[in-house]
Amino acid sequence: MKIAVIGQSLFGQEVYCHLRKEGHVVVGVFTVPDKDGKADPLGLEAEKDGVPVFKFPRWRARGQVLPDVLAKYQALGAELNVLPFCSQFIPMEIISAPRHGSIIYHPSLLPRHRGASAINWRGHRPRPSAWGPALTSTHYRHSQLLPSAAPRVEPQPSLTPGLTTGTAKSFLLQLLVKNIQLEDGKMIPASNFFKGADSSALELTEEELVTAEAVRSAWQRILPNILQVEDSTDFFKSGAASVDVVRLVEEVKELCDDLELENEDVYMATTFGDFIQLLVRKLRGDEDDSQCAVHYVEMAVNKRTLQMPHQLFIGGAFVDADGGKTYETINPTDGSVICQVSLAQVSDVDKAVAAAKDAFENGLWGKISARDRGRLLYRLADLMEQHQEELATIEALDAGAVYTLALKTHVGMSIQTFRYFAGWCDKIQGSTIPINQARPNRNLTLTRKEPVGVCGIVIPWNYPLMMLSWKTAACLAAGNTVVIKPAQVSAGPGLGLALYNEPALGLPRPLCLGVLVPRAPGPTPTIPFSCALSNVKKVSLELGGKSPLLIFADCDLSKAVQMGMSSVFFNKGENCIAAGRLFVEDSIHDEFVRRVVSPAPGSGGAAGPLGRQLARWGPRRPACHGAVCPPAGFFFEPTVFTDVEDHMFIAKEESFGPVMIISRFADGDVDAVLSRANATEFGLASGVFTRDINKALYVSDKLEAGTVFVNTYNKTDVAAPFGGFKQSGFGKDLGEAALNEYLRVKTVTFEY
């Protein structure tokens, strides 16, 4: 049979040799370009036999197969493709071209591989596992393709050992490879099979070898139960504890003239060989080689040069979306295009979730102590504070926030939120519970609060950084990993925060964070429906509202006017807890309106463009008519409507803009106005202005909302729970209560 081999590494070389030995004609070999001047073993072997070797750096551009690549492949006339250890994305035009299709064979696990060319990484198991489409109708046993030194497959009980079968494109076959037995009989984990072929390992100088032996002696002193420290010796599996980490770090610092080394470095490189590689990189000053590259859009804004990332952030790297998909993000101030932002595809979401799952189950984030986790979040908050002007500028440019407000509230409260939840990390505790004893035995029942795993967070566009921080800080403090979906119209702040992920955590790869921008997920009911339909995922929702503000005649009128305007116009009215409807007692109604509309209703923070396209409202009697302002951009004048009746559209629907809606109520009729205020499907926030403490307490008891402001408004704090009733959602942000959204409680009972 004429076979084209597409792959790399020692495994690819072994498969190639075995195919030739079995009498097949290899018409061409496709492997990766030379790395550091070294050719791949598969290519070297084929060149010895005079087989044509192709080293394409890529097979497609902008989602389409490259014509010259396709032509060179087709000229070979292959009847079957064999893909051993293929790390490139091979277009379906190549996969489906041969008469017998393609065989994709992979002995281990490589999460970064994607598409039909390699493994679709599902992340179901902590040990090696592979999924690959069966694209050929020909039956093969693994012995037909595997060399003698290759893995002995240990299949699931439901699978016929070593058999792949089926019609073309009809099913997925799972092979679970746990162990590999080499020719000398040695068994190794399947995930270690290719480590010997890794060309990135440093070759040590004589001086570095001396240092390595000195460090080996330090390991030997700390691990006296180990007869000989080998390169494969694992520090923690050999019995080391956290105090031994500190001892090792200090001893290595002394050996290496106070080299910058931290406890996390030991957790990142737990075997002696990996630790020496990390140490030598630090000694050579090139430990930052693995830091991600960032492509910025540079702009001169706010008397500074702003560098704004525009790619997806997945697995510790800023990357383009699959297929190079992008969309235009708009500056709401003038309607101009800021830049092209990568638009995540379904495959990108899958990769981000897989990376977050791996970080949770196998990465350092799931292994470090809660106190260390808190320290890292404190470090992130410090970095945000150092760059707060830059973050506020991005918030103003991309989301239309007023710069001073963005600096104080959008960014300022974000920093406070990360610091607040950093302090909670080592204070998440269970309890012991007395239960009935099963005499003569006794029982001990305790509860543990555990992280739920990978969390998906969807962020609105009005406070892009602050809403991200409210949810992400609590999520990470609880020990979870997270994939964040910023709003499509204001993704900049979220991507900007991703910049500080790696330096804050101080590690060569991030622990917990992915940021990507897919299209909007659809109407709000889509989210809980999808979660229930898939596997009953836990959901927390904050969905906005139509918050009533009750202003009684016995209030401090000057304060009520000032705070009433702020309750509506703060952040241009793009505020989920904005007072959606003001109820003003008859005896002060006219004076209240006069003060609001004179001289102008612009003092409540309404300056600045709206962060989305303008909407239309359908009210009656505007006391101060709003209009689109003459300059380009999404501007709308503050608008006040009076004599609004309960049945009107604007009395029931959230406007989410600088629109004040005023209704009057009869003097002294507290219960009637409460009934009208509660006659809404929403229940996020509410407010009351009165000097009568009894009335204030009575009204606050009766208002059906998650938050009630008394003689104030918009006063939120990171320590106070925030969330709504009814159609405003469920679950809480901020405060200790927010942690419960990202934890699960496990009950453990002992008998003794």
Side-chain angles (χ1 to χ4, degrees):
M1 186 183 300
K2 295 180 179 180
I3 294 176
V5 177
I6 308 173
Q8 66 189 81
S9 80
L10 292 173
F11 180 75
Q13 179 192 58
E14 297 254 16
V15 170
Y16 164 83
C17 292
H18 193 74
L19 289 170
R20 297 253 306 174
K21 182 179 178 182
E22 292 294 314
H24 297 293
V25 177
V26 178
V27 294
V29 165
F30 299 84
T31 187
V32 293
D34 296 353
K35 183 177 181 181
D36 299 327
K38 296 180 180 179
D40 185 82
L42 170 59
L44 286 173
E45 191 68 29
E47 288 173 350
K48 292 179 185 177
D49 299 328
V51 174
V53 176
F54 305 88
K55 302 178 181 180
F56 300 134
R58 59 177 181 168
W59 293 70
R60 62 177 193 162
R62 299 184 180 275
Q64 302 297 319
V65 62
L66 294 172
D68 59 330
V69 171
L70 181 60
K72 290 178 181 178
Y73 168 82
Q74 290 174 333
L76 299 175
E79 299 172 306
L80 173 71
N81 291 330
V82 174
L83 284 74
F85 192 35
C86 180
S87 63
Q88 294 177 305
F89 194 108
I90 311 302
M92 288 306 299
E93 290 88 343
I94 306 292
I95 294 293
S96 304
R99 179 160 57 94
H100 295 297
S102 296
I103 291 177
I104 296 105
Y105 192 86
H106 210 294
S108 187
L109 170 102
L110 289 173
R112 287 185 295 176
H113 291 189
R114 62 191 189 280
S117 66
I119 289 179
N120 184 5
W121 163 232
R122 304 290 175 140
H124 293 313
R125 290 181 170 80
R127 54 181 182 262
S129 178
W131 285 88
L135 299 177
T136 174
S137 58
T138 307
H139 293 199
Y140 292 91
R141 290 188 178 275
H142 79 279
S143 59
Q144 288 180 277
L145 293 176
L146 290 177
S148 58
R152 295 183 179 177
V153 179
E154 298 180 19
Q156 297 281 17
S158 60
L159 297 178
T160 304
L163 180 64
T164 63
T165 182
T167 58
K169 303 180 183 178
S170 62
F171 70 98
L172 289 174
L173 169 72
Q174 183 185 30
L175 296 177
L176 176 61
V177 183
K178 295 186 294 186
N179 299 311
I180 294 175
Q181 186 174 30
L182 304 181
E183 287 182 325
D184 59 3
K186 181 181 179 180
M187 297 288 290
I188 64 171
S191 57
N192 294 340
F193 184 64
F194 295 103
K195 286 190 175 179
D198 187 359
S199 62
S200 63
L202 299 177
E203 186 173 340
L204 275 56
T205 65
E206 290 295 328
E207 184 178 355
E208 289 166 347
L209 287 170
V210 172
T211 301
E213 289 308 309
V215 174
R216 192 189 302 273
S217 298
W219 276 54
Q220 196 73 64
R221 291 192 297 273
I222 297 171
L223 306 171
N225 57 314
I226 301 299
L227 295 177
Q228 179 65 43
V229 174
E230 307 286 351
D231 284 357
S232 59
T233 300
D234 188 285
F235 193 68
F236 296 100
K237 291 180 181 178
S238 300
S242 58
V243 67
D244 299 313
V245 173
V246 178
R247 178 182 171 186
L248 176 61
V249 168
E250 293 306 313
E251 287 203 28
V252 172
K253 283 182 179 179
E254 187 174 344
L255 285 170
C256 301
D257 298 325
D258 292 326
L259 174 74
E260 287 191 13
L261 193 68
E262 298 188 21
N263 296 354
E264 287 86 355
D265 292 320
V266 183
Y267 290 101
M268 285 296 293
T270 60
T271 66
F272 180 77
D274 290 343
F275 183 77
I276 291 298
Q277 288 286 313
L278 179 146
L279 188 62
V280 170
R281 290 184 188 277
K282 283 182 173 290
L283 288 169
R284 293 182 182 182
D286 60 358
E287 69 274 14
D288 292 332
D289 286 350
S290 61
Q291 298 296 319
C292 66
V294 185
H295 294 165
Y296 300 99
V297 172
E298 287 197 355
M299 293 162 283
V301 184
N302 198 22
K303 297 181 180 179
R304 67 180 67 247
T305 299
L306 186 68
Q307 294 182 320
M308 188 166 165
H310 56 87
Q311 297 171 291
L312 312 179
F313 187 71
I314 301 176
F318 282 95
V319 296
D320 291 332
D322 266 0
K325 300 288 186 180
T326 63
Y327 72 96
E328 294 180 346
T329 184
I330 305 298
N331 181 348
T333 302
D334 57 13
S336 63
V337 176
I338 300 173
C339 64
Q340 298 288 330
V341 177
S342 293
L343 182 62
Q345 307 299 297
V346 172
S347 56
D348 295 308
V349 177
D350 289 342
K351 285 182 284 186
V353 172
K357 189 174 191 295
D358 185 60
F360 179 76
E361 294 182 346
N362 307 312
L364 181 57
W365 188 247
K367 299 175 183 177
I368 61 175
S369 70
R371 195 160 297 164
D372 285 339
R373 188 164 65 241
R375 184 170 58 83
L376 296 176
L377 293 183
Y378 276 123
R379 189 185 298 176
L380 176 57
D382 291 343
L383 272 171
M384 291 173 66
E385 188 170 53
Q386 292 172 26
H387 297 273
Q388 58 185 332
E389 291 86 0
E390 180 182 335
L391 288 169
T393 303
I394 295 177
E395 194 97 350
L397 180 71
D398 196 35
V402 177
Y403 175 74
T404 51
L405 180 63
L407 194 61
K408 177 185 181 297
T409 301
H410 294 219
V411 179
M413 194 173 188
S414 299
I415 296 168
Q416 293 178 33
T417 303
F418 272 102
R419 285 188 175 141
Y420 173 81
F421 283 107
W424 267 111
C425 288
D426 61 353
K427 301 172 186 66
I428 298 172
Q429 302 168 349
S431 58
T432 57
I433 303 171
I435 65 171
N436 287 338
Q437 309 292 350
R439 296 182 179 180
N441 296 324
R442 302 178 65 82
N443 300 105
L444 170 65
T445 295
L446 56 89
T447 60
R448 296 169 54 95
K449 293 184 178 180
E450 301 176 343
V452 297
V454 179
C455 299
I457 295 179
V458 181
I459 306 300
W461 43 264
N462 56 329
Y463 294 99
L465 184 62
M466 192 172 78
M467 293 295 98
L468 182 153
S469 301
W470 280 20
K471 300 175 187 301
T472 303
C475 176
L476 296 181
N480 302 283
T481 56
V482 61
V483 176
I484 300 168
K485 182 211 170 294
Q488 201 168 332
V489 296
S490 55
L495 294 172
L497 180 66
L499 283 174
Y500 309 125
N501 185 40
E502 291 193 45
L505 302 176
L507 298 167
R509 282 288 178 263
L511 302 175
C512 50
L513 181 67
V515 183
L516 61 165
V517 193
R519 294 195 183 278
T524 297
T526 301
I527 298 175
F529 179 78
S530 299
C531 292
L533 194 63
S534 57
N535 57 2
V536 198
K537 294 182 180 69
K538 190 175 184 181
V539 184
S540 173
L541 295 173
E542 190 264 278
L543 304 176
K546 187 69 172 176
S547 302
L549 175 57
L550 281 55
I551 301 175
F552 290 92
D554 60 1
C555 70
D556 179 337
L557 187 57
S558 295
K559 184 177 182 181
V561 170
Q562 179 187 358
M563 299 301 297
M565 292 174 65
S566 177
S567 73
V568 175
F569 299 128
F570 184 80
N571 199 51
K572 308 158 295 177
E574 295 178 328
N575 193 15
C576 55
I577 60 172
R581 189 178 180 193
L582 279 63
F583 294 87
V584 183
E585 202 161 6
D586 259 335
S587 58
I588 63 168
H589 175 273
D590 292 347
E591 177 62 15
F592 181 88
V593 172
R594 187 190 68 78
R595 293 196 190 189
V596 166
V597 301
S598 176
S603 62
L610 299 181
R612 62 172 182 173
Q613 293 182 350
L614 301 176
R616 291 185 176 273
W617 298 274
R620 299 289 187 272
R621 287 194 59 190
C624 177
H625 186 65
V628 178
C629 297
F634 305 151
F635 291 88
F636 195 88
E637 289 182 349
T639 307
V640 179
F641 291 99
T642 62
D643 293 335
V644 176
E645 299 176 9
D646 295 355
H647 65 85
M648 294 179 179
F649 179 84
I650 57 170
K652 297 182 287 186
E653 294 297 324
E654 184 179 28
S655 57
F656 220 71
V659 180
M660 179 180 284
I661 297 165
I662 302 176
S663 301
R664 62 173 75 225
F665 67 95
D667 288 341
D669 203 345
V670 178
D671 288 327
V673 73
L674 277 170
S675 178
R676 294 171 66 193
N678 287 330
T680 171
E681 62 181 353
F682 300 107
L684 186 59
S686 59
V688 54
F689 277 84
T690 177
R691 285 192 174 100
D692 186 337
I693 185 62
N694 292 321
K695 187 186 296 181
L697 289 172
Y698 178 79
V699 171
S700 64
D701 283 347
K702 296 296 184 180
L703 284 170
E704 298 171 356
T707 296
V708 180
F709 298 107
V710 180
N711 294 328
T712 187
Y713 210 88
N714 284 325
K715 190 177 286 293
T716 55
D717 187 87
V718 295
F722 179 93
F725 299 164
K726 300 189 286 187
Q727 293 298 310
S728 287
F730 43 84
K732 294 294 182 182
D733 293 317
L734 304 180
E736 181 183 2
L739 293 168
N740 295 327
E741 308 301 327
Y742 305 99
L743 294 166
R744 59 186 182 186
V745 178
K746 178 182 290 182
T747 301
V748 182
T749 298
F750 297 85
E751 185 173 276
Y752 60 96

